[in-house]
Structure formats: structure tokens, C-alpha cells
Amino acid sequence: MMTLHFLRYVPFQLARAAADQPAHPVACRAVAIMGAILLLAAGATGAQAHAHIEHAVPAVASVVQKAPDTVEITFNEVVEPAFSTIEILDGQGGRVEIGKVRPALDDAKTLRIGAKLPRPGVYLVVWRVLSVDTHRSTGNFKFTWAP
């Protein structure tokens, strides 16, 4: 029982002994540099924490002459298809997408979904994605089918 009582105070005694020792200037500089690097790295990843559209087919705000049979969105980072959705809404708010979101075979940043547009008009594409770093993003864009 005495040993346990003694061990309870050992970390305090070691910290007190270390506080009595002057810090080595090279060690202080190394710690400061590592801290700065960690802060910069944290800032860089924070700026890229959410997925945003790089491009889409049909293009954002475009007018197409032929009804697309798929909508494809490419993001600026890899997204998780299992936790992502794309909805295509017609002018009356009816959903016209077919099937489930699927990834492009050659690009983990690209998602696709089938579409069956009933008539010419303006369509709204609403997307919700989960990037692989677990950040959620949402957005939408319109395109027009005018044959």
C-alpha cells in the first residue's frame, strides 16, 4: 500500500524537478516550429473541408436541346456514394431521378444518377454529399431542357 501512495506523487515530483531545469534553446525553437507547422496544416485542411461542385453534366444553368438520361456531378474531393443523394425535380416539384446515386467507375469524386425527364422545362438538381473526411455539403443548381 505504501508503494501505491508513493507512485501517486511521482509525476508531480518529476514535473517539479523538470521545472527547476532551464529549457534548452534548440528544444524550445523546435517545439515552436512544430506548433506553427501543426497550426498551418490545420488551417489548410479546414479550408478544404467541404465538397463543392467542380463541374456537372448537364452544366450548371445550361440549356440543353436533348433530355439527359443521367446527371453527373464532379466534386472537388472524394465523396461517399452510400451517404450521398442527388434529386432531380421538375417544375412542379416532382422527382424525376431514376435509381440510386452511383460513383463513376474512373473517378471517386464523381457521382451519377439516372434521369427520366417527362417534358421540356426547368429542372432543379439538389445534392447532398458526405465527403470522405466526414463533412456534409449540400447545394443545388438548375438546367433547362429546351428542344
Side-chain angles (χ1 to χ4, degrees):
M1 200 67 151
M2 283 299 272
T3 306
L4 293 176
H5 181 70
F6 171 75
L7 287 176
R8 195 173 349 165
Y9 295 101
V10 169
F12 174 74
Q13 291 169 348
L14 290 174
R16 188 171 170 186
D20 293 337
Q21 299 291 326
H24 194 278
V26 174
C28 287
R29 189 173 297 135
V31 169
I33 290 171
M34 289 303 293
I37 290 171
L38 288 173
L39 285 174
L40 288 172
T45 57
Q48 300 173 359
H50 295 83
H52 300 284
I53 292 180
E54 281 190 347
H55 69 272
V57 177
V60 174
S62 65
V63 177
V64 296
Q65 293 181 350
K66 182 179 178 243
D69 56 358
T70 62
V71 169
E72 178 178 289
I73 304 173
T74 301
F75 296 92
N76 64 327
E77 60 185 76
V78 177
V79 292
E80 289 288 347
F83 300 102
S84 301
T85 62
I86 298 174
E87 296 175 358
I88 308 167
L89 305 173
D90 64 16
Q92 287 75 42
R95 293 178 60 175
V96 296
E97 74 272 3
I98 299 172
K100 294 183 180 183
V101 171
R102 60 190 189 282
L105 297 176
D106 57 345
D107 185 3
K109 295 179 181 181
T110 301
L111 297 178
R112 294 180 177 145
I113 192 159
K116 184 165 176 76
L117 309 186
R119 65 192 147 281
V122 178
Y123 289 85
L124 177 67
V125 177
V126 179
W127 55 268
R128 293 174 195 87
V129 295
L130 178 70
S131 55
V132 293
D133 63 3
T134 70
H135 288 100
R136 291 201 168 275
S137 298
T138 61
N140 63 71
F141 66 91
K142 292 180 180 180
F143 71 91
T144 303
W145 171 31

